[in-house]
Amino acid sequence: MPEMTEKEAQYFVEQVLDQGERSAISVALTSQNPWKHEDFNEPVKTDLGTVKAKIKDFHFERVSRKCCYCRRSLEDASIETDREHVIPKGKKKSLSYDIFNLSLACKRCNMTYKGEKVNHIVDVDTIEADLRNPDRYLIPHPNIHSYEDHLIRISVQFGAQQFTSYRRITPQGQFLYDFVRLDKLCVDELDIAQGGKKVDEVVAQVLDLPLDGI
């Protein structure tokens, strides 16, 4: 996932969104719950709906059609895909439609484990003024960091047998691994006959990564 530049974010606001959609966001941000577009009257309700669709399309390609946290495929999984607020919208209402604060995640990571938690942010009270500072996030931020620099998902399936593991490369990768309980997605059913090594050992050797993480 490449870093989102200010120019790219500005392009989304000024070129992807139309004037009606930008105005609808301004109206929504004055309400108690700006993300709940069903509560608004027309045309704001419809415009907010199209804003959300454009946000999803924009980020779908940025995350290579995979959850920004667990990296499982979101292809053909529209009902299981959430527009993810890195800083929860319930904590920072003003960032509800900020494209830099948004990404895509599976419902498992977003709803079951992350939710409204803010312990992945350093001093959430002052984050708005320092949104692009990578040191303010204890996890790989989907719009700042390259995921694979911090955490690598390895998944192999042979017939009915499967192997899935995560290699934690940095402390941020380890934090994310614990934060959304990626250990619960790990499966080790597959051995391969390469010098008697198990598949996780072979993969670690090929990628030049520590077998047991950081």
Side-chain angles (χ1 to χ4, degrees), residues 28-119:
L29 291 176
T30 65
S31 72
Q32 188 66 31
N33 190 347
W35 193 250
K36 197 173 181 182
H37 70 277
E38 299 90 347
D39 289 349
F40 295 92
N41 296 324
E42 297 292 357
V44 173
K45 177 180 177 179
T46 295
D47 283 336
L48 291 178
T50 60
V51 167
K52 290 183 179 182
K54 289 181 177 181
I55 287 170
K56 185 174 182 179
D57 289 343
F58 179 80
H59 279 292
F60 196 53
E61 299 305 323
R62 281 193 55 79
V63 297
S64 304
R65 306 183 180 197
K66 298 177 181 66
C67 172
C68 68
Y69 295 134
C70 71
R71 302 302 284 156
R72 291 184 302 167
S73 177
L74 298 174
E75 195 78 60
D76 294 326
S78 180
I79 197 170
E80 295 298 325
T81 303
D82 284 344
R83 297 158 191 85
E84 162 62 8
H85 294 79
V86 180
I87 302 163
K89 58 186 179 296
K91 302 296 182 182
K92 290 294 179 181
K93 185 177 73 170
S94 61
L95 298 175
S96 295
Y97 290 93
D98 190 312
I99 195 66
F100 184 79
N101 187 47
L102 286 153
S103 191
L104 291 184
C106 67
K107 287 189 180 297
R108 179 254 178 213
C109 288
N110 182 34
M111 301 297 290
T112 304
Y113 291 103
K114 179 178 174 287
E116 292 289 298
K117 295 176 185 174
V118 294
N119 55 312

Side-chain angles (χ1 to χ4, degrees), residues 27 55 61 70 77 90 103 129 140 148 150 166 194 208:
V27 171
I55 287 170
E61 299 305 323
C70 71
S103 191
E148 285 74 22
H150 300 273
Y166 290 85
Q194 293 195 23
D208 192 26

